[in-house]
Amino acid sequence: MAFQILLNFFIAIVWMFLSSSATATTFVIGYLIGFILLFVMRRFFTERLYIDRVWAAFKLTVIFIKELVLSNISVLLLVIRPKLDLKPRFFALPTELERDWEITLLSSLITLTPGTVVVHVSDDQRVLYVHAIDADDVDDAIHSIKNTFEKAIKEVSRP
Amino acid sequence: MTVIANTLIVISILVGLVFTVVAVVGIIRLPDVYTRAHAASKSATLGVLSILVGVFFHFWLNEGHFSVKILLGILFLFITAPIGGHLMSRAAYVSGVKPTE
């Protein structure tokens, strides 16, 4: 991915030299031309075209902001309820992610989703231990949320 | 234009205040460390975040000053706040604090 972006920059700079004008407009035009070239040549790369992963990262950001707002509203409703009837509980969540940054990202996302805080990552990085604030309605919902997050992260990190 | 800008600023600062107050109330009302970590790590993040967004738009739209420092502050807050919540609840668990039943 880094190689493709670098190549695209390189093509843009070559375009600036060819048209012998060092302005931002020329750079943008060169970058677009370079992107079209990369798109045409896409079957020579071993990885996906980098715009795919950029788009996946953008979708992950949108999911993240949505979950942040939802989790705040749920904490608000929980806190201002006149009678506190929580069933806090710990549970284990097996994960298929392998690299360190993926697991860090997943646990940050889980910490900012409704009703869950990551307490511990197991030493072999296969299981996350999560504290849920309200046990009975959460379990299924949480697993579906985890699937969407894990899937979105995999979508970003797949080469 | 100014009316729209001011409405945006006032709404985001008010939302930030409400969520900060909710974080404080949650820390007082909730029973143990772990549930308090929920309130502190979520509501405080979004509260400070929307106050910063309001300040950013105020200086951008009313004073004409585009402040990159505030955007960087928002980014740092996003990165550090969940890690802080995680580390505090993990430290509590490792040192043997019991959750309420």
Side-chain angles (χ1 to χ4, degrees):
Chain A
M1 176 183 173
F3 172 71
Q4 292 179 22
I5 293 176
L6 207 60
L7 195 61
N8 206 341
F9 264 87
F10 182 70
I11 295 172
I13 288 167
V14 168
W15 177 259
M16 282 164 83
F17 273 103
L18 281 178
S19 48
S20 67
S21 81
T23 58
T25 324
T26 326
F27 181 81
V28 170
I29 293 172
Y31 199 89
L32 288 178
I33 289 173
F35 184 75
I36 292 170
L37 285 180
L38 288 191
F39 182 75
V40 172
M41 305 281 176
R42 65 188 178 284
R43 70 190 186 89
F44 296 104
F45 299 116
T46 50
E47 297 184 341
R48 285 184 293 165
L49 207 59
Y50 74 91
I51 199 76
D52 264 16
R53 295 174 73 174
V54 173
W55 178 242
F58 175 74
K59 276 197 292 192
L60 188 63
T61 315
V62 171
I63 294 177
F64 174 70
I65 291 172
K66 197 189 89 193
E67 291 298 330
L68 184 72
V69 172
L70 284 182
S71 74
N72 274 283
I73 291 169
S74 76
V75 167
L76 188 143
L77 292 179
L78 204 82
V79 165
I80 61 174
R81 217 185 285 161
K83 193 167 156 291
L84 284 176
D85 50 348
L86 314 168
K87 295 190 200 64
R89 201 185 97 185
F90 289 99
F91 67 94
L93 173 84
T95 177
E96 294 155 31
L97 301 176
E98 276 162 10
R99 272 169 286 184
D100 285 351
W101 67 268
E102 296 170 348
I103 294 171
T104 313
L105 190 58
L106 181 66
S107 41
S108 289
L109 289 174
I110 291 173
T111 302
L112 290 173
T113 50
T116 46
V117 168
V118 175
V119 176
H120 181 65
V121 181
S122 71
D123 291 336
D124 59 352
Q125 301 188 337
R126 292 255 163 252
V127 183
L128 303 179
Y129 296 98
V130 184
H131 181 262
I133 198 167
D134 214 356
D136 38 283
D137 61 348
V138 167
D139 248 5
D140 281 339
I142 294 242
H143 275 97
S144 71
I145 287 169
K146 298 297 146 45
N147 287 338
T148 59
F149 278 152
E150 220 174 60
K151 242 169 66 186
I153 292 176
K154 274 185 197 160
E155 196 68 26
V156 176
S157 67
R158 191 161 54 91
Chain B
M1 187 58 209
T2 338
V3 179
I4 301 174
N6 283 334
T7 325
L8 191 75
I9 293 161
V10 168
I11 284 177
S12 66
I13 290 183
L14 272 183
V15 167
L17 275 177
V18 167
F19 279 121
T20 316
V21 169
V22 164
V24 174
V25 173
I27 287 175
I28 294 172
R29 282 196 72 194
L30 291 171
D32 64 351
V33 182
Y34 306 104
T35 46
R36 282 174 181 165
H38 284 266
S41 69
K42 286 167 196 139
S43 309
T45 313
L46 191 65
V48 179
L49 192 95
S50 28
I51 289 177
L52 281 180
V53 168
V55 172
F56 172 74
F57 278 120
H58 169 73
F59 277 102
W60 187 24
L61 300 175
N62 291 345
E63 318 266 326
H65 172 66
F66 189 89
S67 171
V68 186
K69 274 180 208 164
I70 297 179
L71 294 181
L72 278 182
I74 291 173
L75 185 69
F76 285 152
L77 197 75
F78 255 137
I79 298 170
T80 51
I83 312 280
H86 161 68
L87 279 182
M88 278 185 278
S89 46
R90 183 168 189 275
Y93 189 77
V94 168
S95 55
V97 179
K98 290 272 178 294
T100 52
E101 286 308 316

